[in-house]
Amino acid sequence: MKGTSPILTFMKAVLLTAVGKLEVKEIPTPTPGKDELVIKMLACGICGTDRHILKGEHPAKMPLVLGHEFGGEVTAIGEGVNFKVGDLVSVDPNIVCGTCDHCKAGRTAHCRNLEALGVTLNGGFAEYVLLPKTQAYLVPKNVNPLHLGLVEPLACCIRGMDLAEMKGGERVAVLGGGSMGMLVVQLAKLAGASEIVLITRQKARRDVAMLLGATSTIDPTTEDVTAILKDMDVSFEVAGVSETFHQACAITRSGGTVLVLGVAPNHEKVPFSVYDLVIRGLRIIGSYINPFTQARAAELIASGKLNLDPIISRTVSLEELPAVLAADPGQGDIKYIVTGD
Ligand SMILES: [Zn+2]
Ligand SMILES: [Zn+2]
């Protein structure tokens, strides 16, 4: 193609054009520059963050192609890229600068110049996606393409596991039955937990959790969580609401860990007992995004050690996406994966 001007082709993309407004549009198919590649999107998970952005509850640039949990097949590479056309890759959407004080100290999640595909740059809800080569992770070809939509959320959960520093034989509670809760159940099982209790309102989700390795479940609408559970070693809060944060603190033993993966809205304040922190010595730790875990997440998915199909409730086409994102998720549904068609 050198010397000739590239022929402009168009692709389908779902664009956020204003708060509350998603439109399926034809936009130019990206072409990679130096150190960039283009992938054909094969799977992109719909995340709570996408819904928050759509409602204007989370800042994002506009117009923008949303979707940050994705992967696909390499279709074009720029100069300096080691991937080959046809490679399957998962994408780490979080682009760090590598030069700010936080990056240089290894705290890349807090990069002062953090950009994210699907949040500040065009992301995965399109037929093709342009990426810097730093964001792509090679995945073996035997991986089910739909599972590429789960690598990023798994990477966030693995980060949480890193911070929880679990030891074998521990008793674990998981508060929240969304896709991250279901992934944490499986990671806790792989980490050797002796007991894994999943707490969630929807029966269909409790049933899936039992299939994936939970040893018991609790319905918080009919059962008293804090009366049933005491002295858990590690509690994972993955619901992102203040009530579950309280429960997590109450059911965790002194010196135990409350690992917070769920993000409650910024304006939501949670009354908090300093007694729990000082006298009971709870380790309350927030886990944000996926620093240094994307490669391990891809490896783990490729290993086949996780049961992912029960987590995927349905696939959604790009055409269907605006209506699906505007509506509330169906009862008992866990994860929706957008495909590139
Ligand atoms: Zn997400
Ligand atoms: Zn930085």
Side-chain angles (χ1 to χ4, degrees):
M1 292 294 285
K2 233 177 197 169
T4 62
S5 54
I7 303 152
L8 207 53
T9 59
F10 289 84
M11 65 169 186
K12 215 185 295 174
V14 181
L15 278 166
L16 177 75
T17 51
V19 167
K21 195 165 184 198
L22 279 177
E23 294 180 78
V24 182
K25 290 204 165 192
E26 295 277 321
I27 62 171
T29 307
T31 47
K34 186 174 185 301
D35 296 327
E36 291 177 334
L37 61 150
V38 170
I39 63 167
K40 178 173 170 39
M41 192 279 280
L42 296 175
C44 183
I46 297 179
C47 170
T49 304
D50 298 313
R51 295 179 186 278
H52 290 308
I53 292 173
L54 180 61
K55 288 181 189 157
E57 296 165 353
H58 189 290
K61 281 181 196 152
M62 283 180 265
L64 182 81
V65 178
L66 296 182
H68 56 272
E69 304 178 351
F70 64 100
E73 187 182 325
V74 177
T75 54
I77 53 169
E79 190 193 325
V81 175
N82 286 327
F83 294 99
K84 295 188 299 293
V85 168
D87 279 348
L88 217 51
V89 295
S90 90
V91 177
D92 175 2
N94 299 302
I95 306 171
V96 301
C97 76
T99 57
C100 73
D101 53 341
H102 285 312
C103 280
K104 283 188 162 173
R107 299 183 295 268
T108 55
H110 309 292
C111 172
R112 292 184 192 273
N113 308 301
L114 186 70
E115 299 266 4
L117 300 164
V119 182
T120 63
L121 300 166
N122 280 349
F125 294 152
E127 286 180 282
Y128 295 90
V129 190
L130 177 72
L131 339 158
K133 68 176 181 185
T134 50
Q135 306 313 113
Y137 289 80
L138 190 68
V139 171
K141 291 237 166 81
N142 66 321
V143 167
N144 177 342
L146 282 185
H147 295 174
L148 294 174
L150 291 168
V151 179
E152 192 269 354
L154 178 65
C156 294
C157 293
I158 291 178
R159 170 67 174 168
M161 295 300 290
D162 284 358
L163 294 172
E165 296 176 353
M166 271 187 62
K167 297 167 189 71
E170 288 187 314
R171 299 174 63 229
V172 173
V174 181
L175 299 99
S179 53
M180 293 186 77
M182 298 302 172
L183 293 170
V184 168
V185 163
Q186 296 187 68
L187 290 171
K189 187 180 174 190
L190 289 173
S194 59
E195 193 180 334
I196 305 166
V197 186
L198 183 110
I199 300 127
T200 191
R201 295 175 188 191
Q202 298 180 27
K203 182 177 185 307
R205 289 177 163 194
R206 294 196 297 275
D207 292 346
V208 171
M210 291 302 288
L211 188 71
L212 300 180
T215 52
S216 65
T217 61
I218 294 176
D219 176 359
T221 60
T222 59
E223 297 169 282
D224 184 348
V225 177
T226 56
I228 298 169
L229 291 182
K230 300 224 185 289
D231 289 332
M232 304 306 286
D233 295 299
V234 186
S235 297
F236 289 91
E237 198 289 309
V238 281
V241 292
S242 55
E243 190 187 348
T244 45
F245 176 77
H246 275 298
Q247 288 171 343
C249 292
I251 65 178
T252 304
R253 68 164 164 80
S254 294
T257 300
V258 175
L259 202 291
V260 185
L261 275 159
V263 188
N266 196 10
H267 57 79
E268 198 169 311
K269 303 295 178 217
V270 181
F272 171 76
S273 158
V274 177
Y275 183 98
D276 278 346
L277 192 68
V278 179
I279 310 296
R280 296 188 55 228
L282 286 185
R283 295 197 320 138
I284 300 172
I285 302 173
S287 178
Y288 179 52
I289 62 176
N290 56 346
F292 313 113
T293 55
Q294 187 81 13
R296 280 185 280 154
E299 294 280 346
L300 187 54
I301 283 185
S303 77
K305 287 200 165 82
L306 299 180
N307 191 357
L308 300 173
D309 291 333
I311 299 175
I312 300 173
S313 308
R314 68 170 281 196
T315 58
V316 174
S317 69
L318 291 171
E319 297 282 354
E320 292 170 316
L321 180 59
V324 169
L325 256 182
D328 286 330
Q331 269 289 318
D333 285 355
I334 299 169
K335 192 70 172 177
Y336 294 165
I337 302 280
V338 179
T339 54
D341 42 62

